Each structure stands twice: as C-alpha cells, then as structure tokens.
Amino acid sequence: MIYLDNAATTNYKPDCVVKAVLRAMTELPYNPNRSGRAALQLQAEIEDLRGKIAATVNCRPDRVVLTCGCTAGLNTAIIGTARRGHVLTTVTEHNSVLRTLAALNKKGVDVSFVPIDEQGNVIAEMAERMIRPDTYMLCVGNASNVTGKAQNLAPLGKFAHEHGLIFVVDCAQSVGYLPIDMKRDKIDIAVFGAHKGLHGIQGAGAMCLSDNVLVRPTVFGGTGTDSHLIEQPTALPEGLEAGTLPCPALLGMSAALDWHKANNTQNVQHLRKYQRLLTDNLATIANVKVYSAYNDSGIVSFNIAKLDSNFVADVLQEKFDIAVRGGLQCAPLMHKALGTFNQGVVRSSVSCITSSDDCYRLLYAVDYISRHVNDIL
C-alpha cells in the first residue's frame, strides 16, 4: 500500500521509537514515582521527556503537562480556563476545538469565528474588530489539517497579549514540521500529539503552559502526590495528570524527540520536495482543483471535478492501493470557507519516507480518474 495519509498519523515509526515503547512495556511496566527503584527510574525518564518537550517549544519543564493526545490537551486547555464571557477562534479549527467550544456555548460562553483571507491567513486586524470587553481567549490552529496552511503566530500572539487574552495554539499539524517558540510568539498554551510530525505512536501528547496562565483540572484522581488530600492538588504538572500516564507512548515520544532533533533538517527538505512535487503536478491534471499551496506540513488537498471526495478516496484505495483521506477532515467550518462543505476534499499528505514513486503513482491514479470522470458521473 502507498500510504499518503500522514496528516492523520505518520505510519513510519523509527526503530528507536519502537524499541523505546517495547522497553517501557517489558522493562518498565510500572507507574512512575509509585513503587520502588524501577518506578523511580521511570519517573526520571518521564521528567527527562518534559525537558525535551520544553526545549522544543521554549517553555519551562515544570509547565509541561503530559496527555494522551492533542484532543485531550485541547479539552483541558479550553475547559480548564473557561469562564462566562467570549472566546475568539477561527474558521480553520478542528472539531477538537469547535466541539469543546460548542459544549461551553451551552454554559454561557459566547464564541465568534474569525474569518480567513483569500490566502487562508487569519489576520489580527480581523480579530480586533470582533473583540468584546468580556473576551478572554483566542484559540488558533497553527497549521490547517485541511490545506496545510500555516498561520503567522507572532502578530496573533501580540494581539492576544495586548488585550489580555489567553492565547491557545493547536499545534497538531505543526510540531515536528514547523519551529514553535512560545515566548517569542506569546503563546500561553501550546498543545500537540506525538503521532504526527514527531513520528511517535498514538496515545501521547503534551499541553505546554506559559508562566502567565492557570488551568483548572478537568480530570480528577490519583496523582502520586498529596494523597492525603480529597481535593485535586493544584501543583503543576501533577495536578493536571490524574490517573495512570500512558508511559509506553510517552517513552516512545521521548525517543521520537531525539530522532526528530537529529534528523529534522533532512526531513524538512524531503517533505518540501515531495509536497511541492504533488502540488505542482496535480495542478496540471484536467478537472483537478488543488486547495493547498506550498507548506511544510506535507499536505496537498484536491478535488476531481464534482466527484465526492470520499468516493475518490475509495477508488484510490480499492483500485490503486493508495491511502488518502476524503471528506471534511473534522474541520467543517474550514470547508465552508473553502466552498467544499458538500464535496469535501481529497487530502494527500507526504512524510519523510515518501518516495517519488509514491507520488507519481498517485498522480497517475488521479489522471486516470480525471480522464474517466464523465463515465463516472
């Protein structure tokens, strides 16, 4: 199978990640900081992971909260800072943001959606026009999971900072692909998972906090600390890590960060090469409309005439053994902005191991479908 759905989950897992996960399962199958010398060793490795994450996004290690993924982190970030008032977000957001805010909307939180310009940019001046006296948060996706378009976070962070807003950034499609600097861009909360650009496995992620933000717990239970208290501890990061951490996935994430640091330069070059190859050549095929410009997240989305994107994805899988993603990619407002809500898009996404043969086989398959589109319609 040719796998071109890396924006969902990268299928390539480096050997060091696999070995780290296996080691966690066989040599350290414990709860960190709970019982004996081995558990203390596991705790030390978890703390080492916090340091690696902090260095990746430029925050303090004790402000790194470990999660089971990006969705869990975004839920905690948004619900854990909620208050009666107004939130600004954008039409580019994933349902992990939209549905969380929709749930809060029923409890007195008003939500406004900042539009994008023709190039897909979220402009701070547009947000400025929508701010209210009770606005307390700006939540922005760093890179669209539909088109791969990356946002310039610096002016948005400056705007949020000047107005006293909590600046939350969904980094699901950017960590591992784009540099993240929380201090430079005045990000209060950055959230991401391990299983996309870092090439870790599913089940691990992080919510990284600036020194200026307080997040209330949304999950309650054992933390391994302050067990005499009936109320949830407030100390970070343990107070926001109730329950058993996904240690095999987290140690895999630690190895993934090491691998990423050692290989990032060549991976970025590889990704750019093949993302651009698809972007340029898909645009030359009759009946094909490309929605992605050059980007570093590896995403190239397109449609063939008026064919339903899920139908095209099914044909690519069944006839050509190529895995892509059709439909709305869990981002309905972005599709309304693109005018693709009814059709969706076919999202292809390359990785650091995608080959030219993979790309040309997709191009051949799309050209074949395009040439037979009238028969299909």
Side-chain angles (χ1 to χ4, degrees):
M1 178 181 72
I2 296 172
Y3 186 80
L4 293 172
D5 193 19
N6 293 283
T9 291
T10 47
N11 71 329
Y12 172 64
K13 307 304 176 187
D15 287 344
C16 62
V17 171
V18 177
K19 290 177 180 177
V21 173
L22 182 61
R23 173 174 171 268
M25 295 173 65
T26 57
E27 298 181 25
L28 296 169
Y30 312 112
N31 276 13
N33 204 28
R34 299 296 208 274
S35 55
R37 187 177 297 113
L40 293 176
Q41 170 63 29
L42 178 58
Q43 178 69 22
E45 296 191 26
I46 292 295
E47 295 310 313
D48 184 56
L49 167 61
R50 290 191 210 277
K52 294 176 185 178
I53 293 171
T56 300
V57 300
N58 195 12
C59 72
R60 282 170 36 195
D62 62 339
R63 306 290 287 180
V64 173
V65 177
L66 301 174
T67 71
C68 63
C70 194
T71 295
L74 286 168
N75 271 252
T76 301
I78 294 169
I79 296 172
T81 57
R83 61 176 184 259
R84 192 171 294 276
H86 178 235
V87 170
L88 285 172
T89 189
T90 84
V91 298
T92 70
E93 304 310 310
H94 187 274
N95 275 336
S96 52
V97 169
L98 298 181
R99 289 177 174 174
T100 309
L101 289 173
L104 290 178
N105 186 243
K106 298 175 182 177
K107 299 182 179 181
V109 176
D110 291 333
V111 183
S112 296
F113 300 96
V114 182
I116 52 177
D117 65 16
E118 292 182 356
Q119 287 73 46
N121 298 302
V122 177
I123 307 299
E125 287 78 6
M126 295 182 183
E128 184 91 42
R129 299 185 197 122
M130 304 174 74
I131 200 167
R132 299 182 348 192
D134 61 346
T135 304
Y136 68 86
M137 176 184 288
L138 172 64
C139 186
V140 175
N142 191 181
S144 167
N145 75 313
V146 178
T147 65
K149 170 66 180 180
Q151 300 300 330
N152 182 3
L153 296 178
L156 296 170
K158 181 175 182 289
F159 158 77
H161 180 73
E162 289 175 347
H163 290 277
L165 310 183
I166 301 168
F167 187 31
V168 179
V169 181
D170 174 3
C171 301
Q173 300 292 344
S174 58
V175 164
Y177 300 125
L178 303 170
I180 306 296
D181 190 323
M182 292 182 64
K183 291 182 180 177
R184 179 196 64 197
D185 294 334
K186 296 179 171 54
I187 299 170
D188 290 302
I189 309 178
V191 187
F192 58 93
H195 65 105
K196 297 180 190 282
L198 294 177
H199 294 267
I201 69 169
Q202 298 99 323
M207 178 179 67
C208 305
L209 310 177
S210 74
D211 297 343
N212 307 316
V213 66
L214 173 65
V215 179
R216 300 182 301 275
T218 58
V219 177
F220 302 86
T223 61
T225 58
D226 295 317
S227 295
H228 63 290
L229 298 176
I230 294 178
E231 294 184 348
Q232 187 73 11
T234 58
L236 289 177
E238 293 87 353
L240 297 177
E241 292 178 347
T244 301
L245 288 173
C247 294
L250 290 172
L251 293 196
M253 185 180 188
S254 184
L257 283 162
D258 291 339
W259 178 86
H260 170 262
K261 185 177 181 179
N263 295 278
N264 182 51
T265 300
Q266 65 191 53
N267 287 347
V268 168
Q269 293 172 350
H270 187 98
L271 206 76
R272 285 175 179 169
K273 176 181 178 179
Y274 291 109
Q275 194 277 341
R276 284 151 178 72
L277 188 155
L278 286 180
T279 301
D280 290 340
N281 285 280
L282 281 168
T284 68
I285 300 174
N287 301 312
V288 171
K289 181 173 182 178
V290 177
Y291 297 91
S292 297
Y294 292 166
N295 66 76
D296 287 347
S297 293
I299 295 173
V300 188
S301 292
F302 62 94
N303 274 322
I304 304 175
K306 296 182 180 180
L307 294 179
D308 181 80
S309 61
N310 282 314
F311 170 78
V312 174
D314 288 344
V315 172
L316 288 170
Q317 177 67 77
E318 294 167 11
K319 187 175 180 63
F320 299 96
D321 201 24
I322 300 172
V324 294
R325 174 83 180 273
L328 300 182
Q329 295 83 35
C330 301
L333 298 188
M334 183 60 170
H335 282 275
K336 288 184 178 180
L338 292 173
T340 54
F341 185 76
N342 293 323
Q343 187 179 15
V345 298
V346 181
R347 185 187 69 189
S348 61
S349 44
V350 303
S351 82
C352 62
I353 65 163
T354 300
S355 67
S356 57
D357 183 63
D358 294 337
C359 293
Y360 283 116
R361 286 176 67 179
L362 175 65
L363 292 167
Y364 168 82
V366 171
D367 181 65
Y368 177 90
I369 298 170
S370 173
R371 285 186 285 108
H372 294 82
V373 70
N374 290 330
D375 297 333
I376 297 170
L377 289 171

